[in-house]
Amino acid sequence: SSWRNWAHDKERENLISKAEQLLLQAKESTSLEQDYPEFTAAVKELRQQWKKMRSHTPEELWLQFNNTCNLVYEQCIPFIDKQTELRQNNLKTKQALCQQLEDYIATMHWPSAKGDAINHKQDWIQVDKIARQARKEWSAIGFVERKDHKAINKRFDKAVETIRHELKKVWQHNQEQFYNLINQAE
């Protein structure tokens, strides 16, 4: 057990040294705004390696390691906060797009109460363009926080699926009309 503790202490000192090197790199980095995910991932990896050693840890080694890791993380906080703000803005933009689609669907009275009733006065080519444009805009917006991702995607997919369902009804109806014309011509 004493040999294992001695070996783990040496490995812990090695991890402290790696954390200090990482801190120095973070302080000297000219591209920290782009590289901060690698720095935070490296800190996480060092912490996981530390946890794997289950033997007794001298308090001074732990404090030195923990403080160094925290200092590396603190170098990245402004960029993490900036990304959080960007993701929040992306969420608001996605919510606005969903609201626009839902308002459009409401003005069109979809899904129709009559089931398969089709409004032949509607410009269905324009409806298809709207659905395609919404997909393009959605993809261009960017990422949102992980906790918000599922709900906002579900909301968007529901709106687009409602539009697609109405389009499919029209396409099915048009296809039947084409076959009727072909049968009459034959």
Side-chain angles (χ1 to χ4, degrees):
S1 134
S2 64
W3 279 104
R4 184 178 55 187
N5 288 343
W6 177 82
H8 283 176
D9 287 348
K10 292 299 177 194
E11 182 58 29
R12 287 185 179 104
E13 289 171 3
N14 185 30
L15 290 175
I16 291 169
S17 175
K18 288 180 181 179
E20 289 170 345
Q21 290 172 358
L22 196 61
L23 176 60
L24 185 61
Q25 289 174 356
K27 286 182 177 180
E28 294 176 351
S29 177
T30 58
S31 60
L32 189 58
E33 187 168 0
Q34 290 85 24
D35 297 339
Y36 81 89
E38 288 83 15
F39 282 101
T40 55
V43 167
K44 184 177 181 180
E45 176 61 28
L46 289 174
R47 287 186 183 274
Q48 287 176 347
Q49 289 177 19
W50 187 279
K51 286 180 184 179
K52 285 181 184 177
M53 294 179 275
R54 302 234 182 248
S55 62
H56 172 72
T57 303
E59 185 70 21
E60 66 274 359
L61 288 180
W62 165 245
L63 289 175
Q64 186 180 1
F65 175 75
N66 190 43
N67 290 338
T68 306
C69 288
N70 288 341
L71 288 173
V72 173
Y73 187 73
E74 285 174 12
Q75 296 289 315
C76 302
I77 286 177
F79 308 112
I80 293 169
D81 291 345
K82 187 176 178 182
Q83 285 298 312
T84 301
E85 183 180 332
L86 179 65
R87 287 187 177 110
Q88 286 300 319
N89 290 338
N90 289 346
L91 177 63
K92 289 176 185 174
T93 306
K94 285 187 175 199
Q95 288 171 335
L97 180 59
C98 288
Q99 188 62 49
Q100 286 176 340
L101 288 173
E102 290 164 355
D103 290 346
Y104 177 70
I105 290 167
T107 60
M108 301 304 285
H109 306 290
W110 292 335
S112 56
K114 297 177 185 174
D116 291 338
I118 297 172
N119 180 358
H120 295 286
K121 296 177 184 173
Q122 177 64 42
D123 183 358
W124 291 102
I125 294 172
Q126 185 64 27
V127 172
D128 187 42
K129 285 180 183 177
I130 289 170
R132 290 175 192 263
Q133 184 63 32
R135 280 267 179 222
K136 286 180 185 177
E137 288 178 24
W138 185 262
S139 297
I141 292 173
F143 295 110
V144 297
E145 293 291 334
R146 182 173 287 162
K147 63 182 173 62
D148 301 319
H149 177 77
K150 189 174 183 179
I152 196 67
N153 275 356
K154 186 175 181 179
R155 182 178 173 191
F156 177 77
D157 289 342
K158 181 180 177 188
V160 170
E161 184 57 34
T162 301
I163 295 171
R164 284 280 175 221
H165 178 71
E166 295 298 321
L167 282 168
K168 286 177 186 177
K169 287 192 318 190
V170 171
W171 293 335
Q172 180 71 31
H173 177 36
N174 288 347
Q175 183 179 19
E176 290 170 6
Q177 285 185 329
F178 286 133
Y179 283 130
N180 287 341
L181 288 174
I182 290 170
N183 288 337
Q184 287 176 6
E186 288 176 345

